[in-house]
Amino acid sequence: MAIKNALLVDDSKVARFALSKLLESREMQVNMAGSAEEALEFLNSHDRPDVIFMDHLMPGMNGVEATKAIKGNPATADIPIIMCTSKKSQSFMDEARNFGVYNILTKPPHDEGLNQMLAQLTTDVNAGTLPPTPAVNDGAPVSDAATHALHSATVELAPKSGSGRDSEPHAVPLTSELIEQIARSAVKTHINNRLHELLSSLFDEQFDHLKRALDETYKKQDAVLDERLNRLAELVDQRTAHLRDDVAAELNISLSRELADLKKDLSRSNGFTSEHMAELKDHITSVQTIDTEFWQTLQSEAIQQAHEISRDTAEDIAQRTIDLYVSQQRAAASRVYTVGLAVSLSIFTLGIAWLSGLLG
């Protein structure tokens, strides 16, 4: 299964634009959300993405809280989440993985690192070796301090004096140095958050300003280009019109010259000359001779065919006459033979009768 669909969650337009261009160059479809709340609403109303790129520090719900919410929902718990942050310590990366983060993408993202991360994610998805979803409590949300300092140790204050309880062995006494350290950490975290918000706002303003400037520049360039093209088209039409007129004039002059030359030749020849008439007479004579020979040949062939047809017809009639005569002769001979036989029998009978009378 290839990674083709990504959800990019970041409150900075500049960061979203930069990372989206890197992902789109890999033929990935990118959907973007400007806050963690918007990302959760997107997951509830759209098809689930193949991967989520989650910003670490965002106003409102931060990246860790959004990760806990996504991993706590059975419908989205198995979506791999890559957290985008400027923190690079190994302890922070380990703590982030405990919240269900698949990997850490440092800001600003680099092409080579993104390629390696997506290749490893594709391998893990196809092999089914994604890390298991951690168990997430549905209690209070993660505090802002835990979000920005996941690698910091927890500090517990000693109980008030006179409480009557023994101090726990792991309690740390509250000293001025510890208070100063906590204050510095809180101030640093607040400054970092505020600086991140200001930089994001500044980048967004600069991005919007640059986009407007680019749009205006493109519009001006399009207007200038259209004007130049129109001027060029008019110039071409003007030059073409003059060229058409010049060509038509040259053609008319050339035709006029040729017609004049032809007229002169005809006037000099005065029609058919004696040589032309002689050639025409010879041609007519040759045609007549050819026609006469053709008709004579055709007539002789017709006469010969008529003679052959007459001969064949006469021979057929003679043969039929002979056959009829032979058949008639045969019929007459048969009748004579019959009469002779009858006469012979009669004479023989009379002789027998006469002999019988004499003998009797």
Side-chain angles (χ1 to χ4, degrees), residues 317-332:
I317 292 173
Q319 185 65 36
R320 290 183 180 182
T321 303
I322 293 172
D323 293 340
L324 181 61
Y325 176 76
V326 170
S327 60
Q328 289 179 356
Q329 289 295 327
R330 289 179 179 176

Side-chain angles (χ1 to χ4, degrees), residues 20-326:
S20 64
K21 290 303 179 183
L22 291 177
L23 296 176
E24 289 174 354
S25 65
R26 291 159 178 78
E27 298 182 355
M28 293 181 61
Q29 181 181 357
V30 180
N31 296 302
M32 293 184 285
S35 64
E37 294 81 1
E38 185 180 347
L40 295 178
E41 183 179 356
F42 177 87
L43 293 175
N44 291 329
S45 58
H46 294 79
D47 295 336
R48 48 176 290 168
D50 297 329
V51 61
I52 299 175
F53 289 88
M54 181 70 68
D55 185 25
H56 180 200
L57 301 177
M58 291 184 292
M61 181 182 290
N62 54 51
V64 176
E65 292 174 348
T67 300
K68 286 189 63 176
I70 294 173
K71 294 300 180 180
N73 186 358
T76 59
D78 57 342
I79 301 177
I81 298 177
I82 297 176
M83 182 164 288
C84 303
T85 181
S86 58
K87 290 184 176 293
K88 302 180 180 180
S89 63
Q90 185 63 37
S91 58
F92 172 78
M93 298 176 68
D94 296 337
E95 291 293 338
R97 289 191 176 94
N98 292 334
F99 284 96
V101 175
Y102 171 76
N103 208 335
I104 303 295
L105 181 63
T106 57
K107 286 186 174 182
H110 298 284
D111 201 32
E112 183 178 356
L114 184 60
N115 285 336
Q116 294 177 357
M117 190 172 297
L118 291 176
Q120 183 62 39
L121 178 59
T122 303
T123 302
D124 291 339
V125 170
N126 293 332
T129 56
L130 288 174
T133 302
V136 180
N137 297 326
D138 295 330
V142 180
S143 63
D144 209 25
T147 302
H148 304 306
L150 290 173
H151 60 289
S152 300
T154 303
V155 177
E156 295 186 6
L157 299 179
K160 295 180 181 180
S161 59
S163 60
R165 294 183 299 175
D166 296 334
S167 298
E168 297 180 2
H170 60 277
V172 179
L174 186 60
T175 62
S176 59
E177 294 180 358
L178 183 59
I179 293 174
E180 184 180 357
Q181 182 180 358
I182 294 173
R184 287 180 179 178
S185 177
V187 170
K188 183 179 179 181
T189 301
H190 180 72
I191 292 175
N192 287 335
N193 292 339
R194 185 57 180 167
L195 182 61
H196 175 74
E197 293 176 1
L198 292 176
L199 289 177
S200 298
S201 177
L202 179 61
F203 287 153
D204 292 342
E205 291 179 0
Q206 293 295 328
F207 176 77
D208 293 338
H209 177 72
L210 180 61
K211 185 177 180 182
R212 287 194 299 269
L214 289 176
D215 292 340
E216 292 177 359
T217 303
Y218 289 151
K219 290 180 181 178
K220 292 180 180 178
Q221 289 180 352
D222 292 339
V224 172
L225 182 61
D226 292 338
E227 184 179 358
R228 290 183 178 179
L229 288 176
N230 293 331
R231 291 180 180 178
L232 181 61
E234 293 177 358
L235 181 61
V236 170
D237 292 338
Q238 293 175 1
R239 297 290 179 83
T240 305
H242 293 312
L243 181 62
R244 287 197 299 267
D245 296 338
D246 295 340
V247 172
E250 291 291 337
L251 183 61
N252 291 330
I253 294 173
S254 178
L255 290 176
S256 299
R257 290 176 180 175
E258 291 182 0
L259 289 175
D261 294 339
L262 181 61
K263 186 176 180 180
K264 291 179 181 179
D265 293 338
L266 291 176
S267 62
R268 286 196 301 267
S269 62
N270 292 324
F272 285 103
T273 61
S274 57
E275 295 178 356
H276 293 162
M277 293 297 295
E279 292 179 357
L280 181 61
K281 184 177 180 180
D282 294 339
H283 178 70
I284 293 174
T285 303
S286 62
V287 171
Q288 289 178 351
T289 303
I290 294 173
D291 292 341
T292 302
E293 293 177 356
F294 173 76
W295 283 110
Q296 289 178 354
T297 303
L298 183 62
Q299 184 177 4
S300 62
E301 290 180 356
I303 293 173
Q304 183 177 358
Q305 290 180 359
H307 287 169
E308 291 178 356
I309 292 172
S310 300
R311 185 176 61 254
D312 294 339
T313 303
E315 290 178 356
D316 186 39
I317 292 173
Q319 185 65 36
R320 290 183 180 182
T321 303
I322 293 172
D323 293 340
L324 181 61
Y325 176 76
V326 170

